Amino acid sequence: MAAISLHRVTKEFGAVKAVDDVSLEIADGEIVCFLGPSGCGKTTTLRMIAGFERPTTGEVRIGGRVVSSERMTIPPERRNLGMVFQNYAVWPHMTVYENVRYPLKLRKVPRSAARAKVMETIALVGLAGLEKRYPEQLSGGQQQRVALARALVVEPDALLLDEPLSNLDAKLREKMRFEIMDLHRRLRMTLVYVTHDQAEAMVLADRVVIMDQGVVVQVGSPWEIYREPANPFVADFIGLANFIPARLEEASGTSGIVALGEGGPRVPCLVASGAPGDLPRSGMLFVRPEEVALVGAEGSPLVGEVVRVTFLGAKLDVRVRAYGAEWRAEVPPEMQVREGDHMGLRVGRAVFFESQGEVDGANAEL
């Protein structure tokens, strides 16, 4: 097992800066998920850890040893890392047993010792009894387990996974997330996981690294990333979000009061750090849909018209237009609400961002 350290790592492809001055410490035994939109630099960062790319500047350390810098790079096969790819990359002409044994064969492990280790690893990933089958005889989830077993059989210092579940259907993806968690609990190895699926990151990670345009924009636990986003990009990328135009009229420390619309109601909020300046200030009020409750219109200071109701099984997704903005609320499915109703809105935890950032306006889950 080993800690991984990135120190001011930059990777340029010609004029394109794919990764820009990234520094990060990954503790021994920690699960860290790199999360972000396509092209944000997360896979390039993983490839530099693995040894498939050399950083333009900066260095990568594994277990305290420099393995990559602008001057040198230790090849992947000498880093003792396990790697699982998006497309499984299992050999179609080899059985499950032969696929899993292959890394040990390259390391010239004696056949008898290799067999014991291969069978142990096959059982570890839940494939006992399938060792004589070929990949074409396996489901997608079973093929992914073969790829996991092949990465684990060499007892790597760390396991790197690049979008490993993206080719699986939704139910199988969910099942495999928990299987990966169970494996980690048993093995306690360092695990670096790249995904664009926020649900995977929230379920698996000890810490989530949010990247955008090659830059790390926030690092934190899933709870911190969801509840305390550093900026509007993170708030919009993770989960669902309301972004409501607002004016900050009062501020004291991290608390404030905003006004909504022209002559609209005033709402208490938290004020994001890094928002100094004179009052009033224009910006956006960030509110999660679960923090918006629907109440009776009578006596409520914030009233709007219901413009859409969508049944989602465990909840209703309700859109309410109020003071020039569309609010999204999540309410119990038994609540009696119809399009055209006038409802009051009671706002829970809300955060004011002075900068609007690149947000999708009304609540698209990316």
Side-chain angles (χ1 to χ4, degrees):
M1 311 305 169
I4 297 172
S5 173
L6 306 177
H7 178 66
R8 307 206 65 176
V9 171
T10 295
K11 179 62 181 179
E12 297 174 350
F13 295 99
V16 177
K17 192 173 285 189
V19 176
D20 188 1
D21 197 25
V22 169
S23 294
L24 182 68
E25 300 292 330
I26 301 173
D28 186 8
E30 185 178 24
I31 301 180
V32 168
C33 285
F34 284 83
L35 178 66
S38 297
C40 71
K42 56 189 185 293
T43 293
T44 301
T45 303
L46 190 78
R47 289 176 61 83
M48 285 189 284
I49 295 172
F52 299 126
E53 300 286 353
R54 178 185 294 183
T56 306
T57 60
E59 65 180 31
V60 178
R61 291 177 180 263
I62 298 175
R65 177 181 66 150
V66 177
V67 295
S68 283
S69 70
E70 59 265 37
R71 295 179 300 276
M72 56 79 69
T73 186
I74 294 174
E77 64 271 16
R78 290 175 50 201
R79 298 192 181 200
N80 197 35
L81 300 174
M83 186 85 185
V84 179
F85 299 94
Q86 178 177 354
N87 61 354
Y88 317 147
V90 295
W91 300 105
H93 62 288
M94 293 183 183
T95 64
V96 169
Y97 180 90
E98 291 166 340
N99 265 284
V100 177
R101 178 176 172 257
Y102 189 73
L104 298 178
K105 186 177 180 181
L106 291 179
R107 296 185 180 204
K108 303 188 185 306
V109 176
R111 184 179 294 271
S112 59
R115 177 168 181 80
K117 188 60 184 175
V118 169
M119 296 304 290
E120 174 189 342
T121 309
I122 286 174
L124 180 68
V125 299
L127 291 177
L130 303 181
E131 54 271 8
K132 294 183 179 179
R133 293 193 184 182
Y134 287 89
E136 65 179 13
Q137 298 172 305
L138 303 175
S139 67
Q142 288 170 332
Q143 289 186 54
Q144 192 59 284
R145 289 189 186 94
V146 174
L148 271 171
R150 187 178 57 192
L152 293 171
V153 74
V154 296
E155 298 183 358
D157 292 329
L159 182 62
L160 313 181
L161 301 101
D162 185 11
E163 304 270 13
L165 308 182
S166 60
N167 289 332
L168 305 180
D169 63 61
K171 283 194 172 183
L172 190 51
R173 276 202 310 270
E174 183 179 31
K175 181 180 180 182
M176 288 297 297
R177 288 172 201 155
F178 291 107
E179 292 194 6
I180 290 171
M181 285 182 66
D182 290 341
L183 274 172
H184 179 261
R185 286 183 182 136
R186 280 180 275 173
L187 302 174
R188 300 310 303 174
M189 69 171 53
T190 308
L191 196 153
V192 184
Y193 194 107
V194 162
T195 182
H196 67 275
D197 185 332
Q198 58 182 264
E200 284 180 24
M202 301 297 271
V203 168
L204 287 166
D206 296 314
R207 287 188 300 155
V208 180
V209 179
I210 305 291
M211 295 189 70
D212 183 37
Q213 299 180 24
V215 176
V216 171
V217 293
Q218 188 171 359
V219 181
S221 69
W223 190 94
E224 290 168 336
I225 294 290
Y226 186 81
R227 294 281 293 176
E228 300 174 356
N231 56 37
F233 169 81
V234 178
D236 193 40
F237 187 78
I238 297 294
L240 303 174
N242 292 291
F243 286 97
I244 308 299
R247 289 188 319 279
L248 183 65
E249 297 194 335
E250 298 180 25
S252 176
T254 59
S255 299
I257 302 290
V258 296
L260 305 176
E262 291 297 327
R266 288 157 55 91
V267 175
C269 66
L270 299 173
V271 180
S273 60
D278 297 330
L279 297 175
R281 300 200 299 275
S282 296
M284 301 289 276
L285 191 67
F286 155 64
V287 190
R288 296 286 184 199
E290 64 267 25
E291 296 287 348
V292 180
L294 299 185
V295 297
E298 187 175 350
S300 176
L302 179 54
V303 177
E305 180 183 358
V306 176
V307 295
R308 192 169 77 187
V309 179
T310 306
F311 176 67
L312 298 177
K315 61 191 175 184
L316 295 179
D317 180 279
V318 182
R319 306 294 181 98
V320 180
R321 178 156 292 278
Y323 293 95
E326 188 174 282
W327 296 72
R328 188 172 191 169
E330 293 178 351
V331 302
E334 62 271 13
M335 186 172 185
Q336 299 298 313
V337 56
R338 298 179 300 276
E339 292 181 9
D341 288 350
H342 284 78
M343 304 291 295
L345 304 177
R346 187 171 63 236
V347 179
R349 189 177 189 275
V351 180
F352 175 81
F353 287 107
E354 185 171 9
S355 171
Q356 296 184 20
E358 294 296 325
V359 298
D360 203 16
N363 325 315
E365 184 169 11
L366 302 181

